[in-house]
């Protein structure tokens, strides 16, 4: 059957993708997708335009966001001290799907995350300068041209200036996690991310678990159990960074902890060699998530 696939993880020019929110709809149509979610990093700025374009083309749309969170599980508490930066490894991204972009609380979180980026990004540019790699932060801002400025924009400027051979090379040599110019920015706790997504009426999904760098053993299972206790609704099982064996493993973890499944390509346009729709996520995945979201709301 045609049109039987969805893609529930992608980025637009509102964050670090290269296709505009409107352009994603015809691209999805061409890729044979019947439903998509736009999940820009830390912003809902592209959702309205993408929703409108999807509706014009008869594509079902889930408004989404991808929140960067601290991979240290810590509950909010008055005595909480800032986590030791050097003890943190890996990336924790939490997707919110079927969110209400007008949520005030989610709006406040976006402001906070933007401020974190505004402190972190110039720090990376300074770190690069110490290595003799000189770029102007103004060029990075111009490269982003949108709402959210991220490392891919810094990578693009490094490429333009001839400091690196490719975007990937920029991450491998300078700005990837653990590299000399890297600086962390994650200060939103998982609990806060999940609560904000819930307050916006959405489902909280653990994005690309492989990026937590916890392996496939007990550490990851324990981490997912903790997130479940904080209200996590689902796991992104299919993702461009996951092997077939990992997809199976994450599906078994979803079953074990009673979490719904999501999946997507993490399309970033021309900035990454990833095709829209390439994860061939069954359309049923979208329908199940939507039904779960409606059921959760009915519980209140
Ligand atoms: P930021 O949120 O600004 O720290 O940037 C994170 C984004 O950088 C991710 O969502 C990816 O789009 C991109 N990214 C992270 N690591 C790599 C890598 N090793 N190669 C290419 N892109 C990467
Ligand atoms: Zn990205
Ligand atoms: Fe991510
Ligand atoms: Fe992403």
């Amino acid at each position: 059957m045609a049109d039987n696939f969805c893609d529930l993880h992608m980025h637009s020019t509102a964050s670090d993708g290269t296709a505009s929110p409107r352009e994603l709809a015809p691209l999805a149509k061409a890729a044979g997708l019947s439903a998509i979610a736009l999940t820009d990093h830390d912003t809902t700025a592209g959702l309205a335009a993408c929703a409108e374009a999807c509706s014009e083309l008869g594509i079902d749309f889930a408004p989404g966001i991808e929140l960067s969170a601290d991979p240290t599980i810590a509950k909010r508490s008055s005595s909480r001290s800032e986590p030791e930066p050097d003890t943190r490894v890996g990336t924790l991204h939490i997707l919110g799907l079927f969110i209400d972009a007008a949520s005030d609380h989610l709006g406040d979180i976006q402001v906070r995350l933007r401020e974190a980026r505004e402190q972190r990004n110039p720090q990376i540019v300074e770190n690069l300068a110490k290595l003799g790699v000189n770029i102007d932060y103004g060029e990075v801002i111009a490269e982003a041209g949108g709402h959210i400025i991220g490392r891919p924009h810094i990578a693009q400027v490094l490429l333009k200036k001839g400091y690196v051979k490719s975007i990937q090379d920029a991450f491998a040599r300078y700005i990837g996690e653990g590299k000399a110019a890297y600086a962390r920015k994650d200060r939103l706790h998982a609990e806060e991310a999940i609560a904000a997504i819930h307050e916006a009426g959405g489902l909280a999904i653990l994005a690309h678990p492989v990026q937590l760098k916890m392996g496939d053993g007990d550490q990851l299972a324990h981490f997912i159990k903790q997130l479940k206790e904080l209200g996590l609704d689902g796991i992104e099982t299919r993702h461009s960074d996951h092997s077939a064996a990992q997809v199976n493993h994450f599906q078994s973890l979803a079953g074990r902890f009673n979490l719904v499944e999501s999946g997507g390509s993490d399309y970033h346009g021309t900035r990454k060699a990833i095709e829209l729709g390439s994860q061939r996520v069954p359309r049923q995945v979208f329908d199940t998530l939507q039904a779960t979201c409606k059921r959760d709301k009915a519980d209140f």
Side-chain angles (χ1 to χ4, degrees), residues 148-170:
I148 286 292
I149 305 172
R151 280 181 290 156
H153 303 117
I154 298 174
Q156 195 87 49
V157 174
L158 289 172
L159 181 61
K160 267 189 194 163
K161 295 279 167 198
Y163 282 114
V164 296
K165 295 192 297 285
S166 63
I167 299 283
Q168 189 55 43
D169 189 33

Side-chain angles (χ1 to χ4, degrees), residues 272-290:
K272 285 188 181 181
I274 292 169
E275 302 274 343
L276 190 66
S278 50
Q279 286 300 303
R280 307 320 272 163
V281 179
R283 159 70 199 223
Q284 182 63 40
V285 169
F286 175 91
D287 293 332
T288 302
L289 285 161
Q290 192 172 41

Side-chain angles (χ1 to χ4, degrees), residues 28 42 49 72 81 97 142 166 191 211 216 230 246 264-265 274 296:
D42 307 335
T72 313
S81 57
L97 294 179
S166 63
E191 183 184 26
Q211 289 185 16
D216 294 341
L230 297 178
Q246 283 168 334
S265 63
I274 292 169
D296 286 358

Side-chain angles (χ1 to χ4, degrees), residues 7-25:
D7 190 331
L8 307 180
H9 189 158
M10 67 189 69
H11 298 269
S12 76
T13 48
S15 65
D16 56 0
T18 59
S20 72
R22 274 202 74 84
E23 283 165 350
L24 287 169

Side-chain angles (χ1 to χ4, degrees), residues 16 41 93 117 120 150-152 168 171 185 268 272:
D16 56 0
H41 296 286
H93 285 172
R117 284 175 180 278
R120 190 273 321 244
R151 280 181 290 156
Q168 189 55 43
F171 279 89
K185 63 162 167 38
H268 279 72
K272 285 188 181 181

Side-chain angles (χ1 to χ4, degrees), residues 253-270:
L253 286 171
R256 179 170 155 196
F257 294 111
N258 193 23
L259 293 160
V260 279
E261 260 188 79
S262 187
S265 63
D266 210 351
Y267 178 70
H268 279 72
T270 56

Side-chain angles (χ1 to χ4, degrees), residues 33-224:
L33 302 171
S34 66
I36 63 169
L38 175 58
T39 54
D40 274 311
H41 296 286
D42 307 335
T43 183
T44 57
L47 295 180
C50 192
E52 189 184 85
C54 281
S55 142
E56 286 163 17
L57 295 181
I59 295 167
D60 290 319
F61 182 68
I65 192 165
E66 181 172 21
L67 296 176
S68 308
D70 183 337
T72 313
I73 293 277
K75 295 206 176 205
R76 251 179 309 180
S77 88
S78 51
S79 62
R80 164 167 71 82
S81 57
E82 283 304 308
E84 293 293 324
D86 54 345
T87 63
R88 293 181 289 173
V89 184
T91 296
L92 172 58
H93 285 172
I94 299 179
L95 296 166
L97 294 179
F98 298 101
I99 51 161
D100 174 5
S103 155
D104 283 344
H105 187 48
L106 197 57
D108 292 344
I109 295 271
Q110 289 172 58
V111 171
R112 256 177 73 188
L113 293 175
R114 208 183 149 123
E115 284 167 3
R117 284 175 180 278
E118 280 164 6
Q119 288 180 13
R120 190 273 321 244
N121 291 333
Q123 205 178 321
I124 291 180
V125 171
E126 274 174 39
N127 293 345
L128 284 166
K130 284 183 201 143
L131 299 169
V133 175
N134 293 299
I135 60 169
D136 177 18
Y137 191 55
E139 283 177 81
V140 178
I141 295 172
E143 182 61 46
H147 223 70
I148 286 292
I149 305 172
R151 280 181 290 156
H153 303 117
I154 298 174
Q156 195 87 49
V157 174
L158 289 172
L159 181 61
K160 267 189 194 163
K161 295 279 167 198
Y163 282 114
V164 296
K165 295 192 297 285
S166 63
I167 299 283
Q168 189 55 43
D169 189 33
F171 279 89
R173 285 173 58 192
Y174 296 116
I175 61 172
E177 191 185 359
K179 305 298 173 194
Y182 178 69
R184 294 197 80 97
K185 63 162 167 38
D186 41 7
R187 35 179 109 144
L188 181 69
H189 287 281
E191 183 184 26
E192 296 175 288
I194 292 168
I197 290 164
H198 284 168
E199 206 168 290
L203 295 175
I205 311 287
L206 171 61
H208 42 60
V210 71
Q211 289 185 16
L212 287 162
K213 297 189 180 146
M214 290 182 178
D216 294 341
D218 288 350
Q219 195 193 358
L220 178 64
H222 180 68
F223 188 80
I224 290 173

